[in-house]
Amino acid sequence: MERYELPEGWVWRALRDVCIPVTNWNQRREPREAFRYIEISSIDNTQGVILEPRFVSGKMVPSRAKQIIHTGDVLFGTTRPYLKNIAVVTALLDNEICSTGFCVLRPSNELVTTEWLFHACRSDLVIEQVISGQEKSTYPAVNDSEVLEAVIPIPPL
């Protein structure tokens, strides 16, 4: 990717360098009676918002329900990333569960804001970097590592 010159004080950083690791969830070790589950179809990709999380009983846990999400996380859909199924987790969905079909980006508050991360991820700059990894496969998806390798400009906080 060709980078352009940034204003003074700005730096280029990979998403992995401005995000902190997320916690995986296992129903057997940490049982829940019920939870709200966010999957790709829960995202309105025109507005970049979570519209319809599914209510799931602890007895009927989808196999891809493995990621705990928190307020301010950015969910980046890894299937067909060019569709921009990217949204911010609101306080109403704090501590709920999302599909492994998302790369969960939890911003390090000392480095980047949720809003900046969200807009950067929805930009062509990031999408073009991510979909270049998609071309290596016949299935239109990327893995979390490919998302986390995308580089964005970071302004001073």
Side-chain angles (χ1 to χ4, degrees):
M1 183 198 81
E2 185 177 319
R3 296 191 188 116
Y4 47 87
E5 189 173 334
L6 295 173
E8 187 174 332
W10 291 50
V11 294
W12 289 101
R13 292 282 185 265
L15 292 176
R16 77 173 65 258
D17 296 333
V18 297
C19 294
I20 57 178
V22 298
T23 306
N24 281 337
W25 173 72
N26 182 307
Q27 171 70 353
R28 282 184 224 128
R29 282 184 268 150
E30 301 171 51
R32 294 186 182 197
E33 288 187 33
F35 57 89
R36 285 178 288 178
Y37 176 58
I38 295 85
E39 53 197 342
I40 300 291
S41 63
S42 305
I43 305 292
D44 176 338
N45 64 359
T46 59
Q47 297 179 59
V49 295
I50 302 168
L51 285 184
E52 298 182 24
R54 187 166 52 127
F55 187 77
V56 174
S57 161
K59 296 175 184 171
M60 302 294 290
V61 177
S63 62
R64 294 185 68 157
K66 298 201 184 301
Q67 301 187 94
I68 298 172
I69 55 175
H70 293 291
T71 304
D73 287 350
V74 175
L75 304 184
F76 189 109
T78 56
T79 302
R80 295 180 179 86
Y82 54 85
L83 293 177
K84 297 183 180 182
N85 286 310
I86 301 166
V88 174
V89 175
T90 64
L92 294 173
L93 295 171
D94 187 59
N95 203 38
E96 298 293 351
I97 305 296
C98 80
S99 165
T100 56
F102 291 106
C103 177
V104 179
L105 301 170
R106 184 162 297 148
S108 172
N109 292 329
E110 298 84 41
L111 301 172
V112 66
T113 65
T114 293
E115 294 78 10
W116 184 261
L117 186 60
F118 169 72
H119 290 292
C121 286
R122 286 186 53 92
S123 74
D124 290 341
L125 174 72
V126 168
I127 298 301
E128 288 170 7
Q129 290 176 72
V130 171
I131 62 174
S132 68
Q134 171 185 301
E135 296 165 2
K136 300 172 192 165
S137 170
T138 56
Y139 185 71
V142 295
N143 61 42
D144 287 6
S145 293
E146 291 166 316
V147 174
L148 292 167
E149 289 171 14
V151 177
I152 63 171
I154 303 293
L157 284 176

